[in-house]
């Protein structure tokens, strides 16, 4: 992905497609609807996971579509 900041090198970014079973806000409240199924983030955080793995994904609050971290459940 090209970097929008002038003079900065391009950054590596991975596109994710996730099947979302449940979504919770920062206070632990379950959200009824989550309209996204495609996300983006640093590819390094997803290397140890594969299709069918059950994971907990934390998204950036600013976009709701940028993956900040992934961990097994």
């Amino acid at each position: 992905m090209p970097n929008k900041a002038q003079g900065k090198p391009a950054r590596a970014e991975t596109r994710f497609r996730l099947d979302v079973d449940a979504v919770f806000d920062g206070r632990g409240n379950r959200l009824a609807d989550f309209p996204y199924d495609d996300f983006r983030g640093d590819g390094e955080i997803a290397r140890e996971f594969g299709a069918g793995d059950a994971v907990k994904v934390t998204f950036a609050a600013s976009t709701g579509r940028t993956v900040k971290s992934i961990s097994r459940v």
Side-chain angles (χ1 to χ4, degrees):
M1 293 284 302
N3 198 328
K4 292 181 182 178
Q6 191 171 17
K8 299 282 184 171
R11 60 179 194 245
E13 187 172 88
T14 299
R15 302 287 176 162
F16 301 94
R17 180 156 308 270
L18 303 171
D19 292 325
V20 179
D21 290 332
V23 178
F24 300 89
D25 66 14
R27 289 176 255 154
N29 300 315
R30 189 175 182 144
L31 302 176
D33 187 31
F34 195 69
Y36 310 120
D37 66 351
D38 61 317
F39 306 92
R40 64 179 173 263
D42 181 356
E44 291 298 317
I45 63 176
R47 292 202 188 277
E48 65 186 83
F49 305 104
D53 289 348
V55 295
K56 174 183 175 184
V57 180
T58 303
F59 300 99
S62 59
T63 65
R65 297 178 80 169
T66 301
V67 175
K68 300 302 283 181
S69 67
I70 302 174
S71 58
R72 278 193 207 287
V73 290

